[in-house]
Every structure is written in C-alpha cells, then in structure tokens.
Amino acid sequence: MVRLHGRPHPRPLHPPGDPHARPVPREQGANGRRRVGGRLRSALGGSSFAAQVFVFQVVIVLLLVVSAVVAQLLQVRHDSSMEARNRSLAVAETFANAPGTVEGLRSPDPTAVLQPRTDAARTAAGVDFIVVMNRDGTRYTHPQSDRIGKKFIGNFGPALSGHIVTEQINGTTGPVVQAVVPVRAPDGSVVGAVSSGITTAHVGGLADQQMPLLLSSAAAALAVCTAGTALVSRRLRRQTRGLGPNEMTRMYEHHDAVLHAVREGVLIVGSDGRLLLANDEAKRLLDLPADAECRYVLELGLDADTAALIASGRAATDEVHLVKDRLLAINQRPTNLHGGPMGSVTTLRDSTELRALSGRAETARERLDMLYDAGVGIGTSLDVTRTAEELAELAVPRFADFVTVDLYESVLSGEEPQPALALCRVAGNGVRRDAPLYPVGERIRFVPSSPQGRSLATGQSVVEPLLGEATGWHTQDVKRTAQVLEYGIHSLVTVPLRAGSLVLGLANFWRSRRPDPFDQEDLALAEELVARAAVSIDNARRYTREHSMAVTLQRSLLPRTLPEQGALEVAYRYLPAQSGVGGDWFDVLPLSGARVALVVGDVVGHGLHAAATMGRLRTAVHNFAALDLPPDELLGLLDELVGRIDQDETPADRGTVVTGATCLYAIYDPVSRRCSLARAGHPPAALIRPDGTVEFPDVPAGPPLGLGGLPFETADLELPEGSRLVLYTDGLVEDRDRDIDIGLDLLRTALEEAGDSPEETCRAVLDRLPARPNDDVALIVARTRALGPDRVADWRVPTDPAAVSDVRAAVIRQLAQWGLEELTFTTELILSELVTNAIRYGRAPVGVRLLRDSSLICEVTDGSTTSPHLRYAASTDEGGRGLFLVAQLAVRWGTRYTPSGKVIWAEQPLSAPL
C-alpha cells in the first residue's frame, strides 16, 4: 500500500458551494449505475502501477493452472495404475481361494464348472477378465469362448512356485494390468493359477471429472485478480484523491520545493537516531554539515540538550533551546502514531525576537492583573487602616519588596487632612520583617528635601532610582538612612494619596532583592495603584466621619442614667450593630402616682437618619408621657408623628431613606400591680414570674409606626411582686440565619437559666449573643415592686364643703402614723385647695389618696374631665391663687385623666429616706 504524508488539494468533484454534494466517480453514468467495463478499463488504464500488478497476477495464475493440470494428469495415471493392480490382485486372490475352485480344476470338465462362476465374479467385481488355467498354462475360462483351451499370455511361472505375479501388458483393448495367483490344494500343492485383469482406460475417468473443476478454479482466480486490481486501482485513486502519475509527480516536485523553501526547519529522524531528512532552514538554524543526512544526530555537533531532545524522539511542544546565539522553539512528534514508520519529525522556529516581544507582553499582562486585583482587593472594608494594609499586601512582592503607607492623623479619625500635622505610618509590608524602615504606628515629619517631603509639597510622585545618590533623602535621618542602604534597599517610588484636591498621605514603594531600579513605567503603575487605593481610603475616611457623628448623636440621644423611682428595679443593656449605627432606643419614665413607664423602640435603617429619627421619637415619647396618656393613645400619637416625618422628606430622600419604626410601651402601677402594654409592630415582651416560669403575654400586635389608619390595643396584666418584665428590640431574637421563632425559643431558654436579679438576667441573655450582632440590641429587665396597704391611704369625700375639715384631720392622723409630721402643714394646704376645687367645680364621686413612696403623693379624684389651669390673680381678684400655692409647695403637680374622670396630683419630697 502506498502512503502519502502530504495531501495536496484535489480538484473538486462536486459543484462549489454545495457542502452535501458527493463526488461522482468517473465510471458512473448519468443514471447512477456503474459500468463494469468502465471500472475494468479504469483499473487497467487509469494507473500504470495497477496495470502492471494485473498482468503480473495473470501470469502467475496461468503458470499455476498449467502446473496443476500436469500434476493432475500424472497423478491420475499413477492412481489408475494402482487401482487396476489392486483390484485385479484382489479379484484373483478371492477367486483362487474361493470354495470349489480346486474341485473345479480336478473335475472332468473344468470349463463347464468354472466358466459360469468366472462370468458371475467378473461382472460383480468390475474386471475385464478372470482366467483359470492348469499348471501348463491352458485356459479353462475366458470371457471370449474362442480363447478357452489356448495358452495363457503372460508370466505365470512364478505362480506355479506359489508366488503372486502382477504385471502390465498391452492387450487387445490397450494397456492391461493383470495379476496371477496360484491355486493351492488342501495339501499345499499348486494345482493351477487364476489370472484377473483390467484395462487401465476403464479406471481413468477421474481425470475427466477433475479437469472442469480445475479450469473453473483457474477462471475464478483470474476473476479475483481482476477484482483485486480494480480495488487496488480504486484505493489508489482514493488515497491520491484522483491524481494520476503526472499529477503525483508534479505534487512531489511542489512538496519538495515547499519543504526546502519554508522558513521553518524540518527534520526527520529514524528510529535508530539517524537523520533522514533536513531541509535548508533546519541546516541553517542548526548549522548542520553538508553530509548531515544519514548520520547519527548525536554526532552532528549540536549542544547536548538539543541533540538529546531530537535523538530521543519524545513529543515536545514549543520547547525553547538556546542554539549558539538563537532561541529556537522546538516541536517534535513521533511518526508512528497513525501507522507510519518508526521515527520522529521535528520542526524548528527562530523565536529570538518573539521571545523579547513576549517578555514585554508578559510584563504588561502581569501589570494588568495587578491592577485588576487592586480593583477587587483594595477597599473591601470601610476601614482606613485596613484599606492601607490591603495596598501594602497587594504590591509585595509583585511590584516592590517593601511598601509603607503614611497618612495624616486627622484622616484616621475621619477628618480632612491637616498638612501642619505629622503623618502616621499606618501600614507596612515586605518580603522580610527586619527592614530598618520606620515601624507601623510611628509619627513621622518628612524634611522638605526628602522624596516624601517633595511629594507632599508638590502633590506629584517622585522616583529615586538610586537611593545611595539621593543626597536630599539622607538628611531625613542620617543613621536610619545608612541602615536602610546597608540593608540593601536601593530604589524608591513615593506617590501621594490624592482624593480630589486633598492629599491624604503617601505610599512608598521600596526595592532591595530585585536588582533593577524603578523606572517611568514602574512609576505609572504605582500611580495607578495608589489612585485606586486613595479613592477607597477617602471613602473609608468619609464613612468614619459619618459613623463617628452618628455614634456621637446616638449616644447623646440615649439615656445616660435612669431616673430614680421605687416601682421597678431596672437593668439595661445596649449593643451597637456590627456595622453602622442603628435607631434602637429605650427609656424609663416616672409617671404620677408612683407609676413607671417602660418603652423600647426601633427605627428602620442605620446611620445618621436613623439616629436622628430615634432622637425625635424619644423626645416625643417623653412629651406624650408627660400627658399621662394610656399606651394605645400614646402609640397613636407616635404613629401620626412618624407619618408627618415621612411626608417631610424630600423626593430625593424618599428614594434612599425608609421612615418607619416599631415601639412597645408599658405602664406599671405598683399600687394595683397592674401593667398596661401596647405594641406597634414590635416583638412581644417576656415575663418571668417569681417561680422562674417564662411566658410571652398575648399583647395585640399593632401595625408599625408610620402606616396610619389602624388603632392600637392595650393589654392589662396583673404582676405578682418580684416578677421580671423583659423588653427588647428585634436584634435580640432575629438573625439572617434563623427564624424569629427560633430566636424566641433561645430567649426563653436564657431567661429560664438566668439568675434572680435584673443584672444577672441581662448578662445571661447577652452571653448567648455574638460579640458584634448584625443589628442593634436594646434590652430592659425590670423587676416589679409593690406599694403595700401600709403605704397607701384613701378616703371618699362627700360633695359638701364642710367635709373638707374631716379630710384634713384624717390626713394629719395618717401622716403622724408615717412619721411625716413635718409635712403636715404643706399637705394640709395642698389637700384643702384640691378638695375644695373638686367639690366646687367637679362632679361626684370625689376621693383622696396618699402614697408614701420616694416622695409623698397627694391625689384628688372626681368625675369631671375639666382640668384647672394655673394663672396669676390680680390684686383685686377674690380667687385664683389656690393652684399657684400648690405649685409653689409641691415639687411636681399635674392632671391625668381616667375613664371615669380625672386625678389632680402633687408630689412633695421626703426629708427622711424610706
């Protein structure tokens, strides 16, 4: 089979542009049927090689046929003679030894006895004759009766001696093979002989039967040769793409011309390491001798690595070898991958100039990668120091061996840079930790002659390729600069961190291990890196300033201390969020009648807006609580306030700020031990009873503040003394990774395991939270106290002015029991004025109540909703001075409304503690 290692482009056998058309064979007619004669002519005349093969095959077939015929004839003759001899001998022996043969010879008429028997035996055995004779050779039997009684023709003498004779003679019918067998008497004597013969022509029909088969085989062989020749021709045409001898010759000439004209070296090496082919470019690149072909590669004078690669025959892809003054890219593949001969083909390409270009391209690619990494890796957090550290980590060791970042101290606190102040080294990174540069945290003032000083003064970058020759740099710190040079640091780039018109600090890039100094291309890369870092540092600075302002605002708005009151023992905690400032707040507000209000709230969002809104809501709660409103009415007023805040926002702010809040408001009365609660979209309060059981009271959940249009509901609870009421914001129970029900279950578990005091309860709850939660957490734990009957006194007052004196007398007696005689006069004046006004201007029923808590509280109730007002009375007025006296004698006084009327109250301080 012929293999072509280079395939030229054949002429198209189908119309151009038809991708699915199949080539039409030349011997195929228009109707698609193939012509056998055309195929044969193609096989014989289309290719000289196929025709030669066909003639050679025909000659071989003819020689084989002639040889087979001759051999067949000789074999037939031999086989016919052997068959005639064997059959004649078998018949003669059988008849000679047959019973009755001896008796027939001894009978008076042997012919009459033996002739019928010989005829029957001759017919049965298929021989030409059976002759029985006496010892004289006289025939007793013969197929022809005229031959009986005549002498036997042939050699029968040995038979008389007891031997068997077989011979071939020419008889009247042609060549005859006959056998003579003696006939022995019972005593062993020979009494005659039997001869049997057969003409050889009668057993030669086998040749006539085999000759047609032989000739048919010869014809079949010729047909196979013809078909094989046609297949070989078709295979050749397929492999050569229909090219004839002339076209193949022309293709080879072009292939050879291209092989030696191409500007890429080509080598073909045999399996034994000999060079079989080298084109002109390979000889030039490798400087091969003229007689290089057919020599071993290792003997051509090449360098050891290149020669070993070419001689090994292993696969190689773009391996670069230095051959004299050239860089050669070598590709090598074995030639036996697809059934080819053993060996390898090698291509050589001069890549000296390409390598220089690729080196510059690789440098550019590395710098682009560094800039991309800077865009992704610098500024991942809004922390000034961390952003500076990210710049230092990115540039070492890819760009510089050491990097330091110096910022103005005011930048670290979020303020604008102040050039009059010193810089602080906030970040440093290097290939080693023992560099004699200023350490992190050092406050530095650069002299004007130093590269850093010049960069700060001009706002431009400075390159010092050789620090040893930079005299201005030495004046910064003579001892330290000497240590830096001795350490091996030899080149510096200083780039200012610019954010608009502000210079936030400096970034310094140092080289020690890398011998090449910084150049202008390095300066451009350093400026690009620092520009990206400066934007992130400025963003972090602005965030730090805003965060500091928000924290300051929030801390100023949250209660710093809790007011004194005797109804509740309170402990609280506030945890800021992990990032940003939230709007969570809490308050403890003393109310009239020894009651205390507890409030927790949460403003949506984080930052300054949330903190400012929280302050407005907290102030509003203080004002509304001063009116002594029930919890549901107070939340209704807050809801209207939040709605107005939302309406006051500008259209631009509405796109970025979401106004909304949740709140829980509770009022506890230590006298009745009742607690009234209402909530607006806030998590429910938890209640720890004195026996340690924890429950979440069913308080109707109103809508969050700001939605408007829906009322709020109040739930009343009676709390045993010593119960703990737990109020909190959603940051305590809600998290991104868990449902609120899970958070409530965790809170329940923590409260069940907490100690008895509010402080221990706060500590147990917060121990289950992360150190920096995702949202703000406000927590209040209040343990209830009760004012017993020994500290409360009340009286019903008839609507008669004369009853005022009786009330005064009863109050004086109660004060004496409490040991508060020093308050008798002022209390008598206050009650007289308040009771007189209730009887005169109010409606029944009228009552008086005294409460002895941290202060003495006097309360007068009536069924009217008209509230008295404090005013200045003229000198000629008869009344109007009573409330003025009450305001002067009491620390606080006021009015609160009840479902059945109003209560006017006044508080007086106690000179002695309870």
Side-chain angles (χ1 to χ4, degrees), residues 757-895:
S757 68
E759 279 292 335
E760 293 176 346
T761 305
C762 288
R763 190 179 306 114
V765 171
L766 295 186
D767 286 344
R768 293 181 176 269
L769 288 180
R772 297 291 301 276
N774 295 325
D775 196 5
D776 291 11
V777 174
L779 173 65
I780 298 179
V781 179
R783 184 164 60 182
T784 61
R785 296 169 179 168
L787 289 180
D790 59 332
R791 298 169 62 183
V792 179
D794 56 354
W795 300 269
R796 287 285 182 181
V797 180
T799 57
D800 183 4
V804 175
S805 59
D806 296 335
V807 172
R808 286 200 301 266
V811 169
I812 292 172
R813 290 193 299 271
Q814 184 64 47
L815 292 177
Q817 292 179 5
W818 288 345
L820 300 177
E821 291 85 354
E822 70 274 9
L823 297 178
T824 300
F825 178 73
T826 57
T827 303
E828 185 179 1
L829 290 178
I830 292 173
L831 284 177
S832 296
E833 178 61 28
L834 295 180
V835 172
T836 301
N837 286 340
I839 294 174
R840 180 177 298 179
Y841 303 109
R843 293 198 303 264
V846 178
V848 174
R849 187 174 71 166
L850 290 181
L851 302 176
R852 180 174 178 262
D853 192 22
S854 57
S855 61
L856 180 64
I857 303 172
C858 302
E859 295 181 345
V860 177
T861 62
D862 67 85
S864 173
T865 58
T866 303
S867 177
H869 297 282
L870 181 67
R871 63 186 179 88
Y872 288 98
S875 59
T876 58
D877 292 341
E878 295 181 0
R881 298 177 179 82
L883 286 181
F884 183 80
L885 291 175
V886 172
Q888 297 298 317
L889 295 175
V891 177
R892 294 193 309 157
W893 76 280
T895 303

Side-chain angles (χ1 to χ4, degrees), residues 34 63 104-105 154 263 294-295 385 506 676 912:
R34 298 182 180 273
L63 291 176
L105 285 174
R263 293 201 58 185
C294 298
R295 292 176 57 183
T385 301
L506 295 170
S676 300

Side-chain angles (χ1 to χ4, degrees), residues 569-575 688 724 726 732 746-747 749-770 777 779-782:
E569 179 186 355
V570 179
Y572 67 92
R573 294 290 189 277
Y574 178 80
L575 270 68
I688 308 175
R724 282 168 288 171
V726 181
L732 183 67
L746 295 176
L747 176 61
T749 303
L751 295 178
E752 290 174 347
E753 298 175 356
D756 294 335
S757 68
E759 279 292 335
E760 293 176 346
T761 305
C762 288
R763 190 179 306 114
V765 171
L766 295 186
D767 286 344
R768 293 181 176 269
L769 288 180
V777 174
L779 173 65
I780 298 179
V781 179

Side-chain angles (χ1 to χ4, degrees), residues 397-422:
R398 300 166 66 178
F399 178 68
D401 297 322
F402 298 92
V403 176
T404 57
V405 180
D406 307 322
L407 298 176
Y408 287 107
E409 291 181 326
S410 57
V411 173
L412 299 177
S413 59
E415 303 298 330
E416 291 188 355
Q418 300 179 11
L421 301 179

Side-chain angles (χ1 to χ4, degrees), residues 577-592:
Q578 187 175 5
S579 62
V581 175
D584 292 13
W585 91 93
F586 63 92
D587 254 320
V588 178
L589 306 174
L591 302 178
S592 62

Side-chain angles (χ1 to χ4, degrees), residues 65-401:
V65 170
V66 171
S67 300
V69 170
V70 173
Q72 183 66 26
L73 292 175
L74 294 176
Q75 184 66 32
V76 167
R77 290 185 62 184
H78 178 267
D79 292 345
S80 299
S81 177
M82 290 300 297
E83 183 179 358
R85 185 183 301 273
N86 294 336
R87 192 187 301 177
S88 299
L89 179 60
V91 173
E93 287 183 341
T94 302
F95 197 84
N97 296 321
T101 302
V102 176
E103 287 78 3
L105 285 174
R106 292 179 177 179
S107 66
D109 189 1
T111 299
V113 176
L114 297 176
Q115 181 65 27
R117 297 175 63 184
T118 58
D119 290 339
R122 175 177 55 82
T123 302
V127 296
D128 291 336
F129 63 88
I130 298 177
V131 177
V132 181
M133 66 192 77
N134 57 16
R135 288 182 62 86
D136 295 335
T138 301
R139 300 187 184 103
Y140 291 142
T141 65
H142 197 278
Q144 299 178 8
S145 58
D146 59 344
R147 302 283 181 93
I148 298 174
K150 295 182 180 182
K151 290 291 185 180
F152 175 73
I153 300 173
N155 184 15
F156 69 93
L160 298 177
S161 301
H163 301 286
I164 297 174
V165 178
T166 59
E167 60 183 349
Q168 184 173 355
I169 63 174
N170 290 324
T172 58
T173 60
V176 176
V177 177
Q178 65 180 6
V180 181
V181 178
V183 179
R184 296 179 182 271
D187 57 358
S189 61
V190 177
V191 297
V194 177
S195 175
S196 174
I198 186 172
T199 304
T200 57
H202 293 170
V203 295
L206 185 60
D208 297 335
Q209 297 176 2
Q210 294 181 346
M211 191 59 65
L213 179 60
L214 183 61
L215 294 178
S216 299
S217 300
L222 288 175
V224 171
C225 292
T226 304
T229 302
L231 292 176
V232 169
S233 176
R234 184 177 179 183
R235 181 66 175 176
L236 286 175
R237 285 185 176 277
R238 182 179 298 175
Q239 288 192 347
T240 60
R241 301 294 179 88
L243 300 179
N246 295 332
E247 294 171 327
M248 290 290 293
T249 302
R250 184 167 61 254
M251 184 194 69
Y252 173 76
E253 292 174 351
H254 290 169
H255 179 270
D256 188 67
V258 170
L259 181 65
H260 292 282
V262 69
R263 293 201 58 185
E264 189 171 89
V266 179
L267 301 174
I268 298 179
V269 180
S271 59
D272 57 352
R274 292 179 183 271
L275 180 63
L276 303 181
L277 173 66
N279 68 346
D280 297 339
E281 184 68 11
K283 293 178 180 179
R284 184 185 69 83
L285 294 176
L286 297 178
D287 196 16
L288 298 176
D291 60 345
E293 294 182 356
C294 298
R295 292 176 57 183
Y296 288 104
V297 175
L298 299 177
E299 298 176 356
L300 297 178
L302 303 176
D303 65 281
D305 292 340
T306 305
L309 172 61
I310 298 174
S312 67
R314 65 176 176 85
T317 301
D318 287 338
E319 286 195 15
V320 179
H321 287 252
L322 179 61
V323 179
K324 296 184 179 179
D325 58 345
R326 297 187 181 94
L327 286 174
L328 300 183
I330 301 177
N331 290 273
Q332 187 166 273
R333 295 291 184 275
T335 57
N336 62 338
L337 295 179
H338 302 287
M342 296 294 293
S344 61
V345 59
T346 306
T347 59
L348 311 171
R349 186 175 65 253
D350 191 352
S351 61
T352 305
E353 296 181 0
L354 180 62
R355 177 51 63 96
L357 293 175
S358 64
R360 290 194 290 270
E362 180 66 19
T363 301
R365 186 189 65 80
E366 291 178 355
R367 294 187 174 186
L368 287 176
D369 290 343
M370 190 182 304
L371 291 177
Y372 172 79
D373 294 341
V376 176
I378 297 178
T380 58
S381 65
L382 292 173
D383 184 83
V384 175
T385 301
R386 179 56 193 157
T387 304
E389 292 174 349
E390 289 171 347
L391 171 61
E393 293 171 357
L394 176 71
V396 177
R398 300 166 66 178
F399 178 68
D401 297 322

Side-chain angles (χ1 to χ4, degrees), residues 499-547:
S501 59
L502 300 178
V503 177
L504 307 177
L506 295 170
N508 307 298
F509 302 89
W510 315 77
R511 279 185 179 173
S512 62
R513 290 184 177 180
R514 300 176 63 171
D516 51 319
F518 288 110
D519 54 18
Q520 292 301 317
E521 293 184 359
D522 295 326
L523 175 62
L525 176 60
E527 289 178 340
E528 184 68 24
L529 288 174
V530 173
R532 300 191 180 197
V535 173
S536 299
I537 290 176
D538 188 56
N539 291 337
R541 177 189 68 83
R542 294 174 183 271
Y543 171 78
T544 301
R545 180 182 60 184
E546 180 180 347
H547 183 72

